[in-house]
Amino acid sequence: MDNAPFDMVVKDLQGRYLMINRGVEAAWDLDAAAILGQRLPDLSGSVGVAQVEAIEREVVDTGHVVAREVQFTDLGPEWTYEVKFPIRDAAGRIVALGGVAIDISDRKKAQLALAESEARLRRAQQQARL
């Protein structure tokens, strides 16, 4: 896990961190001792927390992999692409959740800047036609 080029976690079904890689420690500027056993709401008040928890509930409810962009305001990268997946026991029961998070902050900022630029261009074109 520590050699992965993105953040990786394993959580229990209550959302407590069981395993993390060094990427998580670096991104959050916290050591593993401060993270393991905690839940995301214990570590952050960001709006992204509710989004991550919703993704994780969907994984547990459906048993499927769920992936979405999430915006954080106070912890690690500003934007991440979160992929959450069920971890099953030998009988097929979901016993934990796995997850990876990829920092997409630069790409997301570029997308938002492009959208704003396109909107300004449309407004200028509309005003030029008047």
Side-chain angles (χ1 to χ4, degrees):
M1 283 178 55
D2 283 335
N3 294 315
F6 38 76
D7 301 348
M8 295 181 70
V9 303
V10 174
K11 294 181 175 182
D12 67 16
L13 295 180
Q14 290 72 44
R16 288 186 297 266
Y17 290 95
L18 301 174
M19 296 173 66
I20 61 170
N21 70 348
R22 281 183 269 195
V24 174
E25 290 179 279
W28 296 359
D29 196 26
L30 294 170
D31 63 17
I35 300 170
L36 294 175
Q38 301 294 315
R39 296 177 59 249
L40 187 53
D42 301 329
L43 301 168
S44 171
S46 173
V47 294
V49 170
Q51 295 170 13
V52 169
E53 288 184 316
I55 293 169
E56 292 172 351
R57 276 192 305 277
E58 186 175 341
V59 170
V60 172
D61 291 347
T62 67
H64 296 106
V65 174
V66 179
R68 292 207 182 90
E69 293 179 352
V70 174
Q71 182 178 20
F72 287 94
T73 56
D74 67 347
L75 188 66
E78 184 177 354
W79 284 92
T80 59
Y81 184 71
E82 302 275 338
V83 180
K84 305 294 184 174
F85 52 91
I87 298 174
R88 299 176 185 276
D89 65 11
R93 291 181 301 262
I94 298 173
V95 295
L97 296 171
V100 298
I102 301 165
D103 182 353
I104 60 166
S105 300
D106 291 340
R107 180 182 65 81
K108 193 68 177 177
K109 288 175 188 174
Q111 281 180 327
L112 295 172
L114 178 60
E116 177 57 32
S117 176
E118 290 171 341
R120 282 193 310 269
L121 176 60
R122 278 192 298 279
R123 286 191 301 271
Q125 289 173 331
Q126 288 170 348
Q127 289 177 351
R129 288 188 203 129
L130 295 177

